[in-house]
Amino acid sequence: MEPVEINAGEYYLRQLRADDRMDDRPALIEAFADAEHARHIRNYSVRSLDEATGYVEQRALEWAEDERCSWAIAEPTTGALLGEVGLKDLDLAAGTGEAALWVHPAARGRGVAVTALSTVLRFGFGALGLTEVGYRHHPDNHASATVAQRCGFTRAGEGPDPFQPGGVLVEWVRTAE
């Protein structure tokens, strides 16, 4: 599927970029260096421009292969990267996917996550025809729990953390209306 850009009101959702007009790589390195970010997102390493380039390229490839729709959450006037939101583990035939989200430390506490995720859910249920979207986070990530509640998810219990042996994740689900 082709990438889609979305006007999310206060924010603009676009592909991650690393080109001569816009370069998200420095902001990616900053975000992944943040202790709170690293505590909750353990499956990616983005410490250098090369790793950030790989991250941007991976997201573009995942779009092309219908595995994941991923958007940079951008400030609309400057294009500054405020975070990333997406739908991963897509199974378009089954109508399912899982929400993924992180916010740059400099943009936290401004409602970025709820606005971006709500927009992406509308896209997933409307344009992609998804019928169910899951959302998972670490039990001590209270900000993610608040985002899930504000975006209309229902808590479904706990399940294993695939990136931390013996760890658990809080699981949420939202179905199409």
Side-chain angles (χ1 to χ4, degrees), residues 31-43:
F32 280 83
D34 175 67
E36 186 69 13
H37 185 104
R39 197 163 68 92
H40 297 295
I41 301 178
R42 298 184 176 124
N43 53 327

Side-chain angles (χ1 to χ4, degrees), residues 6 8 11-16 55 59 63 68-74 81-88 98-103 112-121 135 147 151:
I6 304 172
Y11 310 106
Y12 183 64
L13 305 183
R14 59 165 174 79
Q15 273 197 291
L16 288 166
Y55 187 88
R59 289 295 186 254
W63 260 103
R68 181 183 195 128
C69 300
S70 180
W71 292 268
I73 307 165
L81 180 68
L82 304 175
E84 183 183 14
V85 63
L87 296 167
K88 65 181 184 175
E98 182 178 334
L101 173 69
W102 60 263
V103 176
V112 172
V114 171
T115 298
L117 184 54
S118 294
T119 301
V120 165
L121 289 169
Y135 183 61
V147 169
C151 289

Side-chain angles (χ1 to χ4, degrees), residues 5 12 17 20 22-23 31-32 39 44-45 49 80 92 101 116 122 132 134 140-141 143-144 151 156 159 162 169-170:
E5 296 183 351
Y12 183 64
R17 293 181 54 182
D20 60 345
M22 186 165 298
D23 191 351
F32 280 83
R39 197 163 68 92
Y44 292 102
S45 175
L49 283 177
L92 298 177
L101 173 69
R122 282 191 301 276
E132 183 176 288
D140 64 346
N141 190 337
S144 283
C151 289
L169 295 174
V170 178

